[in-house]
Amino acid sequence: MASLIAEAVKSYDNMMLKADPRVADWFMMSTPWPSFFICIMYFVVIKMGPNLMGDRKPFELKRVMLVYNFCMIILSAYCFIEFAASGWLAGYSLGCQPVDYSNSPQAVRMAKVCWMFYISKFIELLDTIFFILRKKYKQASFLHVFHHGIMPISWWFGVKFVPGGFGTFHSLLNSFIHFMMYTYYFLAALGPAFQKYLWWKKYMTTMQLTQFFAVTIHSTQLLFRECDYPILFIYWIGAYAVIFFILFADFYRKAYIKPKPKSEKVENGSAVRNGLKKER
């Protein structure tokens, strides 16, 4: 047992020797354990949340949601602009794009937005907490919880070892998707008077599917060419894109293609008139 622990510690130390020294002293970046702990606690809280709420009345969080969604719009827009300005509109290639580990202003700028994107994944865990506090338990689906729960720790490794290059293509797209998503949530939280501006709800899932399809193609093409980018991250990003394409496609099928019972159609009709019952 002692030898196994010693071997694990040795493997961990060897792995950390490959980390980017530029990010070593940044907040939450010294070790992965705080990120692991927060993700585990997220799953525990979501599991226990409905029981903790019990017979309590749902919290009224309209003002909190408005402020939160507005801040997330700004944060998502910032990340999208920074990913574009520090890389994807500043000479990055859609083919092989290695990480620039130098201390040039552009390379450091890219590393910083990668870190900010990583931090944003922790903030987004509040989405699910708000669902629980408002007793919108159906909104905390497997797709939602799984997606939110693995992103923070996944991105810790991204920032620690590859803060830039090829892997930031999907974060560029994701930042734009989240900008649109939180804009939708903000308008929905304003009340029934704004429902006429939410006609594009269905297309949000279509954009998500397009995102994951694009990332899958982007990852796959790199498997057929030489590129100075860690192959493990290529496989991880590609697998992530495929898994979530399948999950979002299943959601789209159930929500927009699969015929609904007549009673559910009537209920949904009332929901539209009363202001998107299932929306934030």
Side-chain angles (χ1 to χ4, degrees):
M1 184 65 178
S3 61
L4 289 176
I5 295 176
E7 188 64 30
V9 171
K10 182 180 178 180
S11 297
Y12 175 81
D13 291 339
N14 290 335
M15 178 184 72
M16 296 303 286
L17 290 175
K18 301 177 182 178
D20 186 343
R22 298 175 302 173
V23 307
D25 296 328
W26 294 4
F27 179 64
M28 293 278 286
M29 292 310 303
S30 59
T31 75
W33 307 122
S35 298
F36 269 120
F37 178 76
I38 292 173
C39 289
I40 291 172
M41 287 305 300
Y42 167 76
F43 288 119
V44 171
V45 169
I46 300 311
K47 180 68 174 179
M48 297 176 61
N51 290 331
L52 293 175
M53 286 300 294
D55 296 328
R56 295 182 176 89
K57 293 182 179 180
F59 283 81
E60 176 53 57
L61 300 174
K62 181 176 181 179
R63 292 184 179 180
V64 174
M65 296 296 298
L66 284 171
V67 173
Y68 171 74
N69 289 326
F70 181 77
C71 290
M72 293 307 296
I73 291 171
I74 301 302
L75 180 57
S76 299
Y78 168 81
C79 288
F80 176 73
I81 292 170
E82 285 296 290
F83 278 123
S86 61
W88 294 100
L89 291 181
Y92 266 32
S93 169
L94 283 172
C96 171
Q97 182 57 57
V99 180
D100 183 353
Y101 291 102
S102 74
N103 286 308
S104 71
Q106 181 177 333
V108 173
R109 184 179 182 182
M110 174 58 81
K112 286 181 177 179
V113 70
C114 286
W115 176 83
M116 181 57 71
F117 186 79
Y118 155 73
I119 293 298
S120 75
K121 298 301 115 180
F122 289 105
I123 300 173
E124 289 170 8
L125 298 182
L126 290 173
D127 288 4
T128 325
I129 303 302
F130 291 145
F131 288 151
I132 300 300
L133 293 177
R134 297 166 63 224
K135 289 195 168 183
K136 303 287 185 178
Y137 302 137
K138 289 185 178 180
Q139 297 289 73
S141 63
F142 170 79
L143 171 59
H144 174 91
V145 173
F146 179 59
H147 175 67
H148 281 65
I150 68 170
M151 282 295 285
I153 189 59
S154 296
W155 260 88
W156 184 90
F157 287 97
V159 178
K160 189 68 172 179
F161 296 97
V162 284
F166 157 84
T168 59
F169 177 70
H170 81 276
S171 52
L172 171 80
L173 299 182
N174 188 254
S175 296
F176 176 75
I177 295 294
H178 279 218
F179 169 77
M180 298 297 295
M181 181 181 74
Y182 284 108
T183 298
Y184 176 90
Y185 289 156
F186 178 78
L187 293 174
L190 288 173
F194 286 83
Q195 300 309 310
K196 60 184 178 182
Y197 301 113
L198 302 177
W199 54 267
W200 43 283
K201 174 187 176 183
K202 177 179 179 179
Y203 300 102
M204 286 301 305
T205 307
T206 303
M207 284 191 283
Q208 291 274 26
L209 288 169
T210 303
Q211 168 196 199
F212 293 123
F213 180 76
V215 173
T216 300
I217 298 301
H218 186 236
S219 300
T220 302
Q221 58 88 24
L222 209 57
L223 299 177
F224 299 96
R225 65 172 72 195
E226 294 292 329
C227 187
D228 185 18
Y229 191 90
I231 190 68
L232 178 62
F233 285 95
I234 297 173
Y235 282 127
W236 171 246
I237 293 170
Y240 179 92
V242 171
I243 290 171
F244 280 98
F245 180 86
I246 293 172
L247 291 175
F248 273 88
D250 183 61
F251 169 80
Y252 185 91
R253 179 186 64 83
K254 292 177 179 177
Y256 302 112
I257 297 177
K258 185 178 179 180
K260 297 180 179 180
K262 184 176 180 180
S263 59
E264 186 175 346
K265 290 181 180 179
V266 172
E267 182 182 357
N268 286 342
S270 299
V272 172
R273 289 192 297 272
N274 295 324
L276 281 178
K277 181 187 71 171
K278 290 187 178 182
E279 285 305 323
R280 307 163 72 125

